[in-house]
Amino acid sequence: MKTRWEFHFKAWDIFFGKEHSFVGTLGPSLDQDSSTVKDGFDFELRLVPADTRSGSPPHQTGRILVTIPGRPENTEEAAYVIVSRMKDRVCFPRGRMEILGGFICATQLPETAEEEAEVGDRPHLVRLVFQNAEDVPVFEPKRLVNLHVDPQHQPLLEQVNAARQLSNPVEAFLAFFKVLEKAYASDREGNLIRALADSDELFALVRQVVRPTEKEAIDRDEFTALISDLVRIRDRCAHLRGTFGYAPADPRVTIEVEPHLGLVGELAHRCVQARVVRSE
């Protein structure tokens, strides 16, 4: 059995004049912490672009088809790795490509009569991702007049706004975490975990945001353990050496960084909000 995965893309500052086909080999993972690829295998990749560019700034759309030995449930993670690595090579040294995650299709390709009977008339698997369309708030002029920030806290406001613009989860996590570091550990000497864990203000903030299922709020020991986890992730986001740290396509980003990104972002937002003074 083989599976053909179909992804859609948008590309800027680069133009594909025709369809391109490649064959390659994805080797076994060298990272003991990653379960992405246990054994190496050959794959086929087709890049099928649209004929023209459109939009402002001009961009080109198209499809990426990756054919891998195996069934969909066993090849999905590898397909993401292949497409991500292809994107990195295409975009270097100049160009930008976005893999669109809203519609991803897998087609099973039987190779024997038994597999054809197993697949039957249901060869396709489709993943659709929907996002709620939130109302865009109308700008209120009084917000500009009534919102006052102490000059010493202006960098925090600038930092949280900059963090909100980042789409890469590793960069966004690190950017939001900088708000917490500056607010609660600027005068630390040495241990970052101890400095953050000793902050009563941060502890109170976390108790507002983190709600355990079996009790009303976390205790101090649980808070310290959470801070330890967040600092460990922060260190991996900030450094990339050997097998330590997160490259953009590292599957641990999905497992470790993204589940904590919302929490760190909310803590950074509330931290800045607490330092904003509204005049009446």
Side-chain angles (χ1 to χ4, degrees), residues 143-156:
R143 179 185 304 177
L144 188 59
V145 177
N146 295 345
L147 193 64
H148 295 275
V149 182
D150 189 308
Q152 68 173 326
H153 299 316
Q154 180 67 29
L156 294 178

Side-chain angles (χ1 to χ4, degrees), residues 64-93:
I64 301 170
L65 307 176
V66 182
T67 302
I68 306 175
R71 304 177 186 277
E73 61 270 21
N74 298 325
T75 58
E76 181 174 7
E77 193 173 10
Y80 280 84
V81 171
I82 291 170
V83 170
S84 178
R85 292 183 179 179
M86 181 223 72
K87 183 188 75 170
D88 288 336
R89 286 158 176 76
V90 166
C91 293
F92 184 84

